[in-house]
Amino acid sequence: MNKMKTIMLTAMLSMGTLAAHAQQLEVKSPVINLGQVQFRTPATAEFELKNVGHDAIRINKVRTSCGCTSVQYPRKTLARGEDFTVAATYDANQMGHFQKEVALYTEQGEPVYLTLKGIVVEEVVDFVGDYPFDLGELKTDCNNVEFDNVNQGDQPYARFHVMNNSQRVAEPVVMHLPKYLKAEVSPSKISPGRTGVVTIMLNSSELRDYGLTQTTVFLGLYPGDKVNHSKAIDVSAVMLPNFTEMTATDMMQAPHITLSADSVRFDAKGKQKQRADIQVTNSGKSELDISSLQMFTTGLQVSLNKSKLQPGETAHLRITGMMKELRNLRAKPRVLMITNDPANPKVVIPVYSEQ
């Protein structure tokens, strides 16, 4: 019994020690991207922090990853709940991408790490193309991101440009990201009328199934901005089966998908509900497996009477279009099939509405 009490007392003391050393500083944005920085023009990132501990604290030591970064921080005691700013300045004396770390130490808790990053260029240049899409008070040259022909383990990325069309400094943020996506905005803060770049990165290892995965993310003007349809960006990814381990003999014995038509065309002025039929034939030498049949957009219905076809066998694919919905789409309507044909693991059938 005494042994049990000793164990419980030790555990309680350990928990108390952990609580005493819990993190005291909260950082609004631990990573700040400065975007383009002009060569030999020092660039400063201002980090907003707060003392979230139960006691007053003091920053007693600061370390940087190199001598090219200087730090300004409060030398006074910081009261409980007090907000403050730490400014890290990079000397920008070397061309190219940079990423520098700053560690803040207090008498309590683990160090807090801050990161500033960007790219040093000879001359800062804004994107001068068109921005046809209005996402709230931000304008972009893209509202639809597609990751095509992705294999398991790939980590592709897509970039698009953004312009701050508001009257305030923007801190654009991509909201409602699923686990398989990450996003970064460069620079982290964009002045009125200036531009930046949004990078969306896909971790295909987090995708569960082959075929099409779709989601909608939202581009906010600042962290905590409201989500609504006007700020939406559609993101899709198509992950394919991997046939790299197939031998030449395997390839010769593989299935092969053949379609009677490679696209569908509906009459935009015709009936509100229109149908098209496509014959799907296995012209290979082993069983064809159509493991996924999906649509990139609404406004379509699809049916396939058979998904596994023996050599020489044919299935019937019916595509039905609802013209009212198809006329109002932001993305191109398409039908997707994922197969075990190594030459055609992805089959896309575009759907057109013509007058």
Side-chain angles (χ1 to χ4, degrees):
M1 187 70 177
N2 289 337
K3 184 177 180 181
M4 180 64 70
K5 288 183 178 180
T6 302
I7 293 173
M8 291 178 64
L9 179 59
T10 302
M12 291 175 67
L13 288 172
S14 298
M15 291 176 65
T17 301
L18 289 172
H21 291 281
Q23 191 57 262
Q24 304 290 302
L25 299 179
E26 180 180 83
V27 189
K28 179 180 178 182
S29 299
V31 179
I32 292 182
N33 193 320
L34 296 172
Q36 297 180 78
V37 174
Q38 191 159 356
F39 183 48
R40 291 181 177 171
T41 301
T44 300
E46 294 188 347
F47 297 89
E48 299 176 31
L49 295 92
K50 183 175 185 175
N51 177 8
V52 295
H54 296 293
D55 304 305
I57 58 172
R58 191 181 185 93
I59 298 173
N60 56 16
K61 184 169 58 176
V62 172
R63 289 183 176 176
T64 62
S65 56
C66 75
C68 55
T69 306
S70 60
V71 183
Q72 292 182 320
Y73 62 95
R75 311 286 174 149
K76 65 174 185 175
T77 299
L78 301 163
R80 175 183 177 183
E82 183 173 352
D83 296 306
F84 64 98
T85 299
V86 171
T89 300
Y90 174 59
D91 63 19
N93 281 331
Q94 186 172 345
M95 298 286 287
H97 291 272
F98 67 89
Q99 178 168 316
K100 306 299 175 184
E101 282 74 36
V102 175
L104 305 178
Y105 293 82
T106 66
E107 294 179 352
Q108 298 176 343
E110 296 296 321
V112 171
Y113 295 96
L114 311 175
T115 301
L116 63 156
K117 60 195 296 188
I119 179 171
V120 179
V121 295
E122 192 71 44
E123 181 181 359
V124 176
V125 179
D126 278 347
F127 177 69
V128 294
D130 294 329
Y131 294 87
F133 304 106
D134 293 315
L135 275 63
E137 294 184 271
L138 298 172
K139 298 177 73 70
T140 70
D141 62 346
C142 172
N143 69 347
N144 183 50
V145 173
E146 295 185 4
F147 294 103
D148 216 358
N149 299 337
V150 177
N151 293 118
Q152 186 85 43
D154 288 352
Q155 295 188 355
Y157 63 88
R159 288 177 175 153
F160 60 90
H161 298 91
V162 57
M163 183 180 73
N164 180 7
N165 200 39
S166 73
Q167 300 300 311
R168 55 173 284 185
V169 174
E171 297 181 62
V173 58
V174 182
M175 303 177 291
H176 284 210
L177 287 164
K179 187 177 180 180
Y180 59 86
L181 292 178
K182 291 184 179 180
E184 182 177 80
V185 181
S186 173
S188 298
K189 295 184 179 181
I190 304 176
S191 299
R194 301 303 296 269
T195 68
V197 176
V198 178
T199 302
I200 296 182
M201 297 151 282
L202 169 69
N203 181 5
S204 64
S205 298
E206 296 290 346
L207 296 177
R208 293 176 295 177
D209 302 308
Y210 294 126
L212 178 65
T213 300
Q214 293 178 300
T215 190
T216 299
V217 299
F218 302 87
L219 185 62
L221 186 67
Y222 50 85
D225 195 5
K226 293 182 179 180
V227 170
N228 61 55
H229 182 71
S230 67
K231 303 171 187 176
I233 300 170
D234 297 323
V235 182
S236 63
V238 177
M239 189 165 69
L240 305 181
N242 190 345
F243 298 104
T244 56
E245 296 184 1
M246 290 187 69
T247 65
T249 301
D250 293 335
M251 296 291 286
M252 291 179 63
Q253 296 299 316
H256 181 69
I257 187 170
T258 303
L259 304 181
S260 61
D262 58 7
S263 64
V264 168
R265 300 179 185 274
F266 292 130
D267 183 357
K269 293 185 176 181
K271 295 180 180 180
Q272 288 301 306
K273 192 172 184 179
Q274 301 179 39
R275 297 183 180 88
D277 292 316
I278 294 178
Q279 308 305 310
V280 181
T281 301
N282 178 8
S283 55
K285 296 183 178 181
S286 58
E287 183 182 78
L288 174 68
D289 182 10
I290 302 172
S291 58
S292 179
L293 178 62
Q294 298 170 286
M295 299 160 291
F296 281 85
T297 66
T298 60
L300 295 175
Q301 294 176 354
V302 294
S303 63
L304 182 68
N305 70 327
K306 188 179 295 186
S307 61
K308 297 182 185 295
L309 283 71
Q310 298 305 314
E313 196 171 6
T314 295
H316 305 282
L317 172 65
R318 170 162 289 185
I319 301 174
T320 303
M322 274 61 72
M323 305 313 297
K324 184 177 180 180
E325 291 184 52
L326 292 177
R327 282 192 289 265
N328 298 316
L329 293 177
R330 300 196 317 169
K332 298 176 182 178
R334 289 157 290 169
V335 174
L336 169 70
M337 288 190 289
I338 299 297
T339 83
N340 65 335
D341 175 357
N344 299 283
K346 179 192 71 174
V347 178
V348 176
I349 304 172
V351 177
Y352 302 101
S353 299
E354 299 178 339
Q355 296 184 2

